[in-house]
Amino acid sequence: IYVVPTGGGLPRRVTYHGAPDRVLGWYPDGKQILFATSRTSEKDRFNKLYRIGADGGLAEPLPVPYGEFGAISPDGKTLAFTTISVDFRTWKRYRGGMNPDIWLFDLVRSVSSKFTTDGGNNGPVWSPDGRELAFRNNRRTVNEVFRKPLDGDDAVAWNGIPAERLEDWSRDGRYLLMG
């Protein structure tokens, strides 16, 4: 993982482990980076979630057993994540035991809860106010974008739009950046 000064200059490496690291995003404070890696996983096909300072240093594992995709809430208190992923598999619309759901982990109280229960969910992204999540799901078509409020209401399709990856919600909440 590298950081690059926006005003120009050379990239600076912040992770040095031999295992592949996948950047998931910034912490709200802008000083730490959330990433997934297999560096301490018991199995190569499963990653764990870590954070590291933008200046480098020792990476710190998050207190969840496994993690593939995730995002930290705008207040920095909750991690939305998936323990497994089918994104890099050759099959889609899978319904077996490796079907991912989104979990919420309270980083203050160390308590987790299942946010989705229908499987095929991935790539959670927090709304700017922290009151809902956008994510991808394979329930009707491959990688369709949904949104779901944290208050327990049902997930709603976002105009039937598919996306390979959700990146971020605009600060004013009007747009979702996806690819």
Side-chain angles (χ1 to χ4, degrees):
I1 297 173
Y2 296 82
V3 293
V4 183
T6 56
L10 296 173
R12 185 172 29 84
R13 190 171 182 177
V14 296
T15 61
Y16 291 90
H17 194 275
D21 299 328
R22 182 170 13 96
V23 173
L24 299 176
W26 289 99
Y27 269 70
D29 65 7
K31 297 176 183 176
Q32 299 177 83
I33 301 163
L34 176 66
F35 69 100
T37 182
S38 63
R39 64 177 62 189
T40 60
S41 180
E42 291 76 23
K43 300 268 185 193
D44 286 341
R45 69 185 287 181
F46 298 108
N47 285 322
K48 292 187 176 186
L49 299 177
Y50 279 77
R51 72 175 172 188
I52 192 166
D55 293 330
L58 188 61
E60 178 184 336
L62 271 63
V64 294
Y66 295 107
E68 291 293 335
F69 290 98
I72 303 294
S73 63
D75 65 6
K77 296 179 181 178
T78 307
L79 167 69
F81 72 104
T82 58
T83 58
I84 54 179
S85 172
V86 296
D87 273 20
F88 308 111
R89 306 292 183 249
T90 56
W91 30 265
K92 300 296 179 193
R93 300 180 82 175
Y94 171 73
R95 291 291 177 235
M98 291 280 296
N99 206 0
D101 271 308
I102 296 171
W103 288 79
L104 299 177
F105 185 82
D106 186 318
L107 294 163
V108 176
R109 299 181 303 134
S110 295
V111 175
S112 64
S113 61
K114 206 171 194 181
F115 182 67
T116 61
T117 57
D118 57 344
N121 302 296
N122 223 333
V125 177
W126 289 94
S127 65
D129 61 11
R131 296 193 312 200
E132 62 183 322
L133 285 170
F135 55 92
R136 292 174 294 117
N137 181 280
N138 291 329
R139 65 174 62 115
R140 297 188 313 192
T141 186
V142 175
N143 290 327
E144 186 174 13
V145 179
F146 281 77
R147 66 194 299 170
K148 181 179 180 189
L150 278 109
D151 67 9
D153 287 347
D154 290 336
V156 176
W158 204 316
N159 297 327
I161 299 170
E164 284 299 315
R165 183 157 169 87
L166 300 182
E167 296 296 335
D168 203 358
W169 217 308
S170 66
R171 299 288 175 236
D172 62 7
R174 294 179 48 205
Y175 302 100
L176 186 63
L177 183 62
M178 62 179 82

